Amino acid sequence: PKITYNFLFKFLVIGSAGTGKSCLLHQFIENKFKQDSNHTIGVEFGSRVVNVGGKTVKLQIWDTAGQERFRSVTRSYYRGAAGALLVYDITSRETYNALTNWLTDARTLASPNIVIILCGNKKDLDADREVTFLEASRFAQENELMFLETSALTGENVEEAFLKCARTILNKIESGELDPERMGSGIQYGDASLRQLRQPRGSAAQTKQQCNC
Amino acid sequence: VNLRPGELLAHDSSVLGYLESASLMSGTLESLSGLGEDGSSVGSDSEINGLVIRRTDKYGFLGGTQYSEASEKEIRVDVARQREMKWLDMFSSWDKWILRRFQKVKLRCRKGIPSSLRAKAWQLLSNSSELLESNQGKFEELEREQGDPKWLDIIEKDLHRQFPFHEMFAARGGHGQQDLYRILKAYTIYRPDEGYCQAQAPVAAVLLMHMPAEQAFWCLVQICEKYLPGYYSAGLEAIQLDGEIFFSLLRRVCPMAYRHLKKFKIDPILYMTEWFMCIFSRTLPWSCVLRVWDMFFCEGVKVVFRVGLVLLKQMLGSVDKLREVQGMYETMERLRNIPTDTVKEDLLIQEVISLPVTESLIERECNIQVRKWRESRGELTHQPSRRLHGTRAIFEYKRRAASISSGGSFSFLGAPVPPPGPLRASSNLIHFTTANKQDIPLLGRHAGFIYCRLSFIDVCLCVYVPL
């Protein structure tokens, strides 16, 4: 059965190796923790249709390899992303220290307007914590990021992270701050919107192409 | 009588008892008491990802997408035996076979190397066995060194993420994971300039499923330096270049798939990175992985290109199939998750063999793409000419190196060449039972697993004593 949606957002999940990016994605899509996962080589995908503020939004999520070495190839996946989850591991300061680099990559390669939410993952491992909530939230504030601590294991805040990011993008569209029609915005109209917005001028072929979800 | 290794062990209760305790120590998930007829094991219930699985398949998988159902057709015993004899015959005068009858060797690799001899064959095909001989003690030496924490940290994070559904790697801190750590760490010390690339881990793990750590290490070295040089190096230029080569070969081989990918702006790097870097070990059903690796060791990277092309042809080569994947995302999803039941071993191998993509075509395309790269992106650090196309090229390279270094005598870089392997008589079972407990990671039901700790000769004797 076809699910219609108003918008399609391209999302990235980025951050250092072993921070739990793929597990966050898996938790968001399957609603369970992926115990036996491979590490990501290159890029993997997931998608889910969510309801945000009365609109149906399809999130198309690109999950990238975290090792520094793969950056030269993963960078080419950034193009045209509307949102990103920037992930570090609260039990590893090293992954936190790497955030600035990831952030620069995202803003220069995807779009300066990309909406980013910082995720301090592995919240369940509080005993091994190396990065405090306060420190990370200051970093988020300074860099104009949203911030949540998440646990891909328990599912805590995982859905919230994706939804928060999607909601912000939607607000920006509604306030006119983001223009979905601009090339490389990472936003596409879904068939539901197309019918309302673009039918008079949109071509039939394009409509057909975009409602394959 | 063709005794299976498992049966042999089952009759020897002392060995079994021994293995049982060894397994407890190594923390594998199974009880070792039940040996299935097909070489699988009936273990105590183990729970992985919520699935209760009792048996491994014949390759040691407990579940997951690469688990093989038992329905797979088996080669007849007499045929299997005949193949093994042929391979043993080749082993006994290996260099001669490579020099004079290479086409035959190639043909036999294409038919599939008998599983009992696969480990030895891979080592001979890649020449890693000779590398090991001429570097006695080197691996231990590497192991004694500290290693760079920068690499060790990331290797440690990856240990439990390699074939988590395979019994050898399922247990945290088990032998599989320990050995994986040993060889990946050793490589970063052996080649500090290269360090560790995450895509090396699955490759190393496949090798470890077949051979002990030291052998696996030298085999990995050959893959990284001779077969796929640059694939795992910083910058990943080699894989990107191969992506371009791959795409232009696709245009030739399957224009329909090419146009589709081009239309949706799907760069080769988006789907072929994992295929090529892991030599399809995460992509195909396991029986196919082994067949592909058999050919890869013999014929080199050409096989990787061909398998990738055949897969694209199968997935995007007809109007019907394209109709299902109208869109970039839909296409990507299909290419990144190939349903394993759609890949048929015989069909895949047949198509791979008959695809007209030769070494020289790849080289020609490589030159074109290098030129384009230089025009658009500047100088390459990677040197594509370092790549050797399989056994024959490695053999010739070795001979050239030998004649340069020692004025014509037939040795490899001055090191003494061991006599080509005539069967050494060794009392295999004694060897097995007296082996260090720690050294027996798993039950040797599958010939491949016995290999984990024994030389191939031991296994041959093990299996063929009754002959």
Side-chain angles (χ1 to χ4, degrees), chain B residues 136-172:
Chain B
Q136 290 288 344
K138 179 75 180 173
F139 181 66
E140 283 166 45
E141 191 188 299
L142 294 169
E143 279 208 279
R144 278 196 299 274
E145 289 197 38
Q146 278 258 288
D148 186 339
K150 168 176 76 173
W151 302 126
L152 301 186
D153 283 353
I154 180 159
I155 291 172
E156 267 170 47
K157 280 183 190 168
D158 285 348
L159 293 178
H160 68 282
R161 305 200 280 177
Q162 311 309 320
F163 302 105
F165 286 107
H166 192 278
E167 61 176 348
M168 195 170 168
F169 299 100
R172 285 242 179 182

Side-chain angles (χ1 to χ4, degrees), chain A residues 13-21 24 85-100 102 117-123 129-140 145-150, chain B residues 157:
Chain A
V13 188
I14 52 176
S16 298
T19 50
K21 295 179 293 299
L24 281 171
L85 270 73
L86 173 58
V87 188
Y88 71 96
D89 170 358
I90 65 154
T91 71
S92 158
R93 176 150 291 274
E94 206 189 326
T95 65
Y96 177 78
N97 292 341
L99 289 174
T100 322
W102 289 108
I117 182 161
L118 180 66
C119 296
N121 196 31
K122 308 197 188 177
K123 187 175 194 286
R129 181 188 283 279
E130 287 184 5
V131 182
T132 65
F133 182 88
L134 195 66
E135 184 182 359
S137 54
R138 275 205 199 111
F139 176 85
L145 310 169
M146 293 176 286
F147 174 53
L148 277 176
E149 283 194 341
T150 57
Chain B
K157 280 183 190 168

Side-chain angles (χ1 to χ4, degrees), chain A residues 39 43 46 67 69 77 212, chain B residues 194 196 232 282 330 336:
Chain A
H39 60 281
V43 62
Q67 192 187 8
R69 189 153 300 192
Y77 312 149
N212 257 313
Chain B
E194 297 275 317
Y196 167 66
Y232 310 106
R282 285 172 160 204
E330 290 75 9
R336 292 296 275 119

Side-chain angles (χ1 to χ4, degrees), chain B residues 106 110 242 245-254 276 299-310 313 351-366 387 389:
Chain B
K106 188 166 95 179
R110 288 179 170 188
D242 273 3
I245 298 170
F246 183 64
F247 199 46
S248 79
L249 290 173
L250 182 68
R251 181 183 206 162
R252 200 182 278 261
V253 168
C254 185
F276 277 49
E299 301 175 56
V301 77
K302 174 179 79 185
V303 173
V304 180
F305 277 100
R306 286 190 184 187
V307 173
L309 291 166
V310 167
K313 242 174 110 172
E351 287 201 44
V352 167
I353 290 171
S354 54
L355 201 72
V357 171
T358 60
E359 283 165 25
S360 55
L361 184 63
I362 293 173
E363 287 303 323
R364 203 159 63 217
E365 204 48 65
C366 181
R387 176 149 72 194
H389 286 275

